[in-house]
Amino acid sequence: MTIQLSKGQRIDLTKTNPGLIKGLIGLGWDTNKYTGGADFDLDASAFLVEGNDKCVNDEDFVFYNNLEHPSGSVIHTGDNRTGEGEGDDEQIIVDFSKIPAHVEKIGITVTIHDAESRSQNFGQVSNAFVRLVNESTNEELLRFDLGEDFSIETAVVVCELYRQGSDWKFNAIGSGFSGGLASLCRNYGLQV
């Protein structure tokens, strides 16, 4: 049974689901009708960070140009440039058994590619969600619908997976940023 989360809510992942080794994080969205003239290209990314919320190096940033962390713990399944169709628009697979010891948190984000030059923002995006599925059973464990709280933002920290002792938890964030992917990278300690 899927647990529906609200913004700011936290939930145990591995303690309450002891068989959970690989989680599939599905992200989806729709775009509102608008007259911008350019297609929307939303991109999911994962930032693997230490306790100080910073990436150690560029390899700790998994996105459309770096689809797999060297440890094999986080894999981006590929860039969907149109967002067409039902269900997940992009997916990230997390193998909890392979996450390096220095990683305390994984920030899952979505950005709008070339948002500034295309005059696009998350105020033009609707029905955005993140869900976590146990990959071995295909059971959807949780879902967080982001709502319509955005206006000028061009990037969103959707959720975080974080370590507490030997267990992993999920935090429904839904926090918007201006400045797109570059702003997020700087936030997580990467040079742009």
Side-chain angles (χ1 to χ4, degrees):
M1 185 172 131
T2 301
I3 297 173
Q4 185 74 40
L5 297 178
S6 302
K7 184 174 181 171
Q9 198 170 0
R10 299 168 186 251
I11 190 168
D12 276 320
L13 287 177
T14 54
K15 185 184 262 184
T16 54
N17 301 286
L20 181 64
I21 295 170
K22 278 188 180 179
L24 182 143
I25 298 170
L27 299 123
W29 49 79
D30 294 321
T31 53
N32 299 330
K33 300 293 180 216
Y34 74 111
T35 58
D39 289 336
F40 264 82
D41 179 10
L42 276 69
D43 298 309
S45 304
F47 293 87
L48 288 76
V49 299
E50 294 185 308
N52 62 0
D53 286 340
K54 304 294 181 203
C55 293
V56 172
N57 56 47
D58 291 348
E59 292 177 337
D60 288 342
F61 173 38
V62 177
F63 69 120
Y64 57 84
N65 277 340
N66 178 33
L67 293 175
E68 185 170 348
H69 190 267
S71 66
S73 61
V74 177
I75 299 170
H76 191 303
T77 62
D79 188 13
N80 175 342
R81 292 178 182 233
T82 65
E84 294 295 318
E86 296 297 313
D88 300 338
D89 290 308
E90 292 193 9
Q91 296 178 331
I92 296 171
I93 298 167
V94 176
D95 186 333
F96 293 101
S97 69
K98 294 182 178 179
I99 297 173
H102 75 275
V103 174
E104 293 292 320
K105 193 183 296 179
I106 301 172
I108 305 294
T109 67
V110 176
T111 55
I112 302 173
H113 185 69
D114 288 338
E116 287 82 9
S117 65
R118 295 178 181 182
S119 299
Q120 297 172 343
N121 59 58
F122 273 94
Q124 299 162 320
V125 175
S126 59
N127 303 321
F129 68 87
V130 61
R131 65 192 193 107
L132 191 132
V133 175
N134 183 336
E135 195 185 62
S136 66
T137 64
N138 209 28
E139 177 189 3
E140 184 176 282
L141 301 177
L142 60 87
R143 182 182 182 97
F144 168 43
D145 294 313
L146 272 71
E148 311 294 324
D149 296 337
F150 303 106
S151 58
I152 61 168
E153 297 86 354
T154 55
V156 174
V157 177
V158 178
C159 64
E160 291 176 337
L161 307 175
Y162 65 98
R163 191 188 308 259
Q164 189 167 52
S166 60
D167 293 314
W168 283 89
K169 297 186 177 210
F170 181 98
N171 185 7
I173 304 280
S175 177
F177 275 76
S178 294
L181 187 57
S183 174
L184 276 179
C185 286
R186 285 190 291 276
N187 181 63
Y188 286 112
L190 297 173
Q191 300 296 316
V192 181

